[in-house]
C-alpha cells in the first residue's frame, strides 16, 4: 500500500489486514476497527463511499452473530464458516488495492468502489448498494464454494445449509428500513414516509433475488471446481458483470436510489 492510497491511516490499515479473522466475533471486531479507520481517510473522511458500505456490512454481521448465539441456525458450523470466508474476500480486495495504477489483483468490481474513496463524492445509499453488489454478486458464490469444500458437503437446495443461507435474507429484510433511512436527508425522509413500505419492499426483493442468483452461481462453480481454467473464466465473467452494475450504481443515474 502506498501513502497515496490511505494517507495518514496507511499503517493502521496495513496492520488491520495482516491476517484473516477466524470466527464471526473476530469478523465483527475487524469490521468495527475498519469502520473507524475508514472514517479517517482523507479527504472525504466519514463521507467516503466505503464507509457507507462497511457500516451496512457491520450491521448485518452483528445480526448474524446474534442469531448464532441464539441457536437460530440448523447448521451453525456452516453459517459461521461462510461468514468468515465471505469476509475474507472483502479483506483480500482491500489488501490487494494499491491505487488505480497498481491493483491487478484487486477485482474490478471492488476497484470501482475503492477508486471513489478520495472522491468525487457519491450519495451514501448508492455507495452502500455498490458494495453490496460487489460482495454478493462477486464474492458470495466463491465464499460458498470454499465453505462447502471445507466442510465436505454440497450446495443442495432445501438442505439445512440452504435454509440457513436464506435466513440471512430475513436479516436484511429486518435491517433494510433502518439502514436505508440512515442514508437519507431530511427531505428524502419525508418522501420516504409518503412512499410507505414500497421502498423497503422492493429493496428487500432485490436482496432476495441477488442472493438467490449467488446461490445458483455457487452451484455452477461447484460443478467446475476441479477445472481451474473454467473457474477462472467464470470468475472473470462474474467480475465483469458486477463491475458494470457497480458503475451504474455509482453513476448519476444511480443517485435515483437515494
Amino acid at each position: 500500500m502506498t501513502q497515496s492510497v490511505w494517507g495518514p491511516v496507511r499503517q493502521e490499515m496495513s496492520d488491520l489486514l495482516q491476517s484473516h479473522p477466524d470466527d464471526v466475533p473476530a469478523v465483527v471486531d475487524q469490521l468495527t476497527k475498519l469502520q473507524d479507520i475508514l472514517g479517517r481517510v482523507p479527504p472525504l473522511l466519514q463521507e467516503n463511499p466505503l464507509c457507507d458500505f462497511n457500516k451496512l456490512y457491520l450491521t448485518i454481521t452483528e445480526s448474524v452473530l446474534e442469531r448464532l448465539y441464539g441457536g437460530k441456525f440448523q447448521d451453525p458450523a456452516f453459517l459461521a464458516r461462510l461468514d468468515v470466508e465471505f469476509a475474507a474476500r472483502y479483506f483480500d480486495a482491500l489488501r490487494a488495492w494499491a491505487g488505480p495504477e497498481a491493483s491487478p489483483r484487486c477485482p474490478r468490481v471492488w476497484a470501482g468502489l475503492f477508486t471513489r474513496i478520495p472522491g468525487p463524492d457519491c450519495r451514501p445509499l448508492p455507495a452502500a448498494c455498490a458494495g453490496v453488489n460487489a460482495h454478493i454478486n462477486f464474492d458470495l458464490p466463491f465464499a460458498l464454494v470454499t465453505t462447502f469444500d471445507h466442510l465436505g458437503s454440497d450446495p443442495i437446495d432445501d438442505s439445512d445449509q440452504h435454509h440457513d443461507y436464506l435466513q440471512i435474507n430475513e436479516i436484511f429484510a429486518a435491517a433494510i428500513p433502518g439502514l436505508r433511512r440512515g442514508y437519507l436527508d431530511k427531505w428524502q425522509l419525508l418522501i420516504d414516509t409518503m412512499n410507505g413500505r414500497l421502498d423497503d419492499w422492493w429493496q428487500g426483493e432485490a436482496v432476495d433475488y441477488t442472493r438467490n442468483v449467488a446461490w445458483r452461481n455457487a452451484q455452477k462453480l461447484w460443478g467446475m471446481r476441479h477445472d481451474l481454467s473454467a473457474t477462472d473464466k467464470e470468475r472473470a465473467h462474474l467480475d465483469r458483470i458486477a463491475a458494470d452494475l457497480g458503475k451504474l450504481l455509482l453513476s448519476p443515474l444511480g443517485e435515483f436510489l437515494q
Side-chain angles (χ1 to χ4, degrees):
M1 297 183 190
T2 63
Q3 182 68 24
S4 62
V5 178
W6 301 113
V9 300
R10 172 182 175 274
Q11 189 58 53
E12 289 178 78
M13 184 67 78
S14 179
D15 292 344
L16 182 69
L17 298 174
Q18 283 297 314
S19 60
H20 286 143
D22 56 8
D23 56 26
V24 182
V27 172
V28 170
D29 180 66
Q30 192 151 343
L31 289 171
T32 300
K33 291 175 179 176
L34 179 59
Q35 187 69 19
D36 172 68
I37 293 172
L38 290 172
R40 292 182 281 116
V41 177
L44 300 180
L45 304 179
Q46 296 184 25
E47 302 300 320
N48 89 59
L50 196 56
C51 261
D52 298 318
F53 164 69
N54 198 81
K55 178 174 68 174
L56 182 153
Y57 188 21
L58 174 58
T59 299
I60 297 298
T61 307
E62 287 173 334
S63 296
V64 170
L65 182 59
E66 288 177 9
R67 290 203 178 201
L68 279 169
Y69 284 156
K72 303 295 185 181
F73 296 110
Q74 298 176 53
D75 188 346
F78 161 76
L79 211 291
R81 184 71 190 190
L82 176 59
D83 195 276
V84 169
E85 294 290 344
F86 193 35
R89 278 147 184 78
Y90 174 45
F91 297 132
D92 282 345
L94 281 166
R95 190 179 296 106
W97 176 245
E101 301 302 326
S103 54
R105 294 184 299 108
C106 183
R108 288 175 54 193
V109 63
W110 278 119
L113 181 59
F114 295 163
T115 300
R116 301 296 291 271
I117 291 174
D121 199 3
C122 51
R123 302 296 290 168
L125 186 55
C129 289
V132 170
N133 164 60
H135 211 26
I136 294 180
N137 284 325
F138 180 68
D139 290 340
L140 185 52
F142 295 98
L144 281 163
V145 169
T146 306
T147 299
F148 280 112
D149 187 57
H150 176 81
L151 297 177
S153 54
D154 300 287
I156 300 172
D157 290 352
D158 295 324
S159 61
D160 287 349
Q161 293 83 8
H162 190 211
H163 287 295
D164 286 345
Y165 176 82
L166 294 177
Q167 270 202 60
I168 308 303
N169 296 359
E170 298 173 12
I171 293 175
F172 268 100
I176 279 174
L179 285 167
R180 184 170 54 78
R181 292 181 182 105
Y183 295 125
L184 302 181
D185 297 326
K186 289 183 178 180
W187 66 271
Q188 293 168 326
L189 285 170
L190 176 61
I191 296 175
D192 184 76
T193 301
M194 294 169 62
N195 285 339
R197 295 184 55 83
L198 178 62
D199 289 339
D200 297 334
W201 173 80
W202 79 258
Q203 288 175 359
E205 288 293 306
V207 169
D208 287 356
Y209 174 80
T210 303
R211 296 190 80 254
N212 285 336
V213 170
W215 177 266
R216 298 298 173 210
N217 283 332
Q219 290 177 317
K220 180 179 179 181
L221 287 164
W222 183 253
M224 63 175 67
R225 66 190 184 281
H226 300 304
D227 186 337
L228 296 182
S229 177
T231 298
D232 285 343
K233 288 180 181 178
E234 186 64 16
R235 180 180 288 106
H237 172 68
L238 293 176
D239 190 14
R240 182 172 62 254
I241 292 174
D244 288 343
L245 179 54
K247 288 179 182 178
L248 180 63
L249 289 167
L250 295 172
S251 72
L253 182 61
E255 294 198 6
F256 282 112
L257 286 172
Q258 188 79 8

